Amino acid sequence: QVQLVESGGGSVQAGGSLRLSCAASGRTFSRYAMGWFRQAPGKEREFVATISWSGGSTYYADSVKGRFTISRDNAKNTVYLQMNTLKPEDTAVYYCAARVDYGLLSNREYAYDDWGQGTQVTVSS
């Protein structure tokens, strides 16, 4: 229903910053909430952040709260994840995902219908 493409990943030193982007195409006229998830080698995929369709509501995992900021620009059909004060434990493949916004945010992987291909983030110590 909606196609998602992540970009902006790369390799940085601990304490550095990156901004990930997720461009959406397709049925972008729908009211989609967006989420970011990540998966490190040998670990399960975990929730990072989510944002409502309007951008008025956000929610973060405790591990990134205060360091990461999720935002969106619906005119550009793009959602962002600004990552500051990066730590080696942030190393993972980062995925964006979309779900129809019925008014309640979700941190559960199964609640999201459409997924991007992922972008690699590597943080060295």
Side-chain angles (χ1 to χ4, degrees):
Q1 191 171 7
V2 61
Q3 293 75 51
L4 307 173
V5 179
E6 302 97 332
S7 62
S11 181
V12 298
Q13 292 186 333
S17 299
L18 284 173
R19 189 180 75 160
L20 306 183
S21 299
C22 177
S25 62
R27 298 183 180 180
T28 54
F29 54 84
S30 299
R31 296 171 60 93
Y32 287 106
M34 301 295 297
W36 285 97
F37 292 76
R38 66 187 183 185
Q39 187 169 25
K43 300 181 68 176
E44 294 184 356
R45 193 180 307 183
E46 66 175 352
F47 168 78
V48 176
T50 185
I51 187 169
S52 63
W53 177 83
S54 69
S57 298
T58 60
Y59 186 75
Y60 299 89
D62 288 342
S63 59
V64 306
K65 193 175 301 181
R67 299 188 297 121
F68 291 10
T69 302
I70 188 171
S71 62
R72 68 192 299 163
D73 186 343
N74 287 347
K76 297 181 178 179
N77 296 320
T78 302
V79 63
Y80 306 96
L81 185 68
Q82 178 66 47
M83 305 184 294
N84 297 327
T85 318
L86 284 162
K87 304 175 181 179
E89 48 263 48
D90 295 319
T91 295
V93 176
Y94 283 70
Y95 300 89
C96 71
R99 64 187 293 265
V100 176
D101 190 345
Y102 293 107
L104 183 65
L105 298 178
S106 177
N107 64 352
R108 301 304 182 97
E109 179 179 357
Y110 58 75
Y112 292 81
D113 300 311
D114 301 300
W115 294 79
Q117 84 290 344
T119 185
Q120 176 71 48
V121 172
T122 302
V123 184
S124 60
S125 61

